[in-house]
Amino acid sequence: MSSSPQPLFPGFVPLCVDVGDGVQIAAVVGGTGSPLLLLHGHPQTHAIWHRVAPALAERHTVVAADLRGYGDSSKPAGAPDHANYSKRVMARDQLALMRSLGFERFDILAHDRGARVAHRLALDHPEAVRRMVLLDIAPTLAMYEQTTEAFARAYWHWFFLIQPAPLPERLIEADPAAYIRDVMGRRSAGLAPFDPRALAEYQRCMALEGAAHGLCEDYRASAGIDLEHDRADRDAGRSLQTPLLALWGAQGVIERCFHPLAEWRRVAREVSGEALPCGHYIAEEAPGSLLARALPFLA
């Protein structure tokens, strides 16, 4: 008889919290110490953190959450203007999650889409975020306004997923497992970095009802209402006051197409950071390098 696979987050407790408007946010919680919210990116779930969560949990109470539209969190139908998937609303989800656990002020470690949610959370609720580590993104507005052919070819999904429903949803739903393999496997490191248990979890969640629509709505909001919010901040001179550590993959598209530190310094007061020896999926490709930079920053 084959033994069952080991859990990705041993000792962590799963939970599901109602954050309002009928939306529930799924998460796992573990560890002791100051609170730390972990947010994942596309097309993944909180499972991306399984290689760094044990070390983080030695110093922090770690809350690894699934974003609205992803994983086991709620996937509501998108509004006509996609406002219910704006980063402003997705940030409120996570703030409500942390407050429900008794955490009024916390740190954030976030990757990709989750890092865009974290950016908005810290802008809209600066009192709630003490320090923030953002992985492999430049600010959304900068990336759209500086789109080049090289970027559009590498991040084709940014332009595919924002097409009107139900075209991208129908194509993803035709073979959700293949969507995960193809999107993640065509990055610089291929599929080699991913634990089979984590990959199976991404594929399970991508096949859930509403999952394709949820991630499309996330991107549709980013190409519309999120840019309106970002331009309003720029016009008003609002910037991030939260100390920010920006890390990105030396083999990734952010390194190739943008100047991440320069872009973050345009919108944030206190920025440090560097490229790490990996591609896009930092927490799974280079967990040791990530911990070596993130833990001292969050201390």
Side-chain angles (χ1 to χ4, degrees), residues 41-283:
H42 157 275
Q44 300 175 290
T45 73
H46 75 272
I48 73 164
W49 305 110
H50 71 97
R51 287 188 172 134
V52 296
L56 293 170
E58 291 175 6
R59 306 188 191 183
H60 300 277
T61 300
V62 172
V63 182
D66 289 338
L67 299 170
R68 170 187 297 231
Y70 291 83
D72 288 310
S73 290
S74 295
K75 303 162 185 68
D81 64 354
H82 317 295
N84 62 332
Y85 281 87
S86 70
K87 302 309 147 299
R88 176 159 283 156
V89 169
M90 293 172 81
R92 286 182 197 144
D93 290 343
Q94 302 302 327
L95 183 64
L97 168 67
M98 294 302 280
R99 285 176 171 169
S100 77
L101 297 172
F103 303 131
E104 293 292 330
R105 187 166 167 81
F106 47 90
D107 296 323
I108 305 179
L109 168 59
H111 175 247
D112 189 72
R113 309 308 295 176
R116 302 187 192 285
V117 174
H119 180 191
R120 176 49 60 187
L121 204 166
L123 265 174
D124 287 358
H125 308 279
E127 75 289 346
V129 185
R130 191 185 72 98
R131 287 181 161 253
M132 187 162 62
V133 183
L134 302 185
L135 304 183
D136 212 58
I137 71 164
T140 306
L141 183 58
M143 291 177 71
Y144 268 117
E145 290 187 341
Q146 297 174 37
T147 291
T148 61
E149 180 184 354
F151 173 70
R153 286 179 179 274
Y155 270 32
W156 58 270
H157 61 286
W158 274 42
F159 308 97
F160 165 65
L161 296 172
I162 66 175
Q163 297 306 306
L167 173 63
E169 286 94 333
R170 185 184 299 128
L171 296 175
I172 294 167
E173 288 166 354
D175 195 340
Y179 182 77
I180 293 291
R181 288 194 306 271
D182 290 345
V183 168
M184 294 171 56
R186 290 179 183 178
R187 299 273 192 169
S188 60
L191 290 173
F194 303 109
D195 186 301
R197 297 168 300 165
L199 199 61
E201 180 67 1
Y202 306 143
Q203 292 178 321
R204 176 188 75 82
C205 290
M206 193 74 263
L208 295 174
E209 183 177 355
H213 180 64
L215 69 88
C216 288
E217 285 297 299
D218 166 22
Y219 280 82
R220 289 172 184 139
S222 272
I225 191 168
D226 289 344
L227 298 182
E228 295 175 18
H229 294 158
D230 290 346
R231 289 188 177 110
D233 289 330
R234 182 172 63 186
D235 293 346
R238 284 189 292 269
S239 62
L240 280 170
Q241 301 303 300
T242 303
L244 165 62
L245 176 64
L247 302 171
W248 63 94
Q251 287 110 50
V253 175
I254 299 299
E255 167 79 8
R256 201 158 69 241
C257 294
F258 301 96
H259 301 285
L261 282 185
E263 295 302 338
W264 282 114
R265 285 171 178 155
R266 287 190 177 98
V267 300
R269 179 179 59 86
E270 185 180 334
V271 181
S272 57
E274 63 187 286
L276 300 183
C278 60
H280 178 60
Y281 299 104
I282 294 173

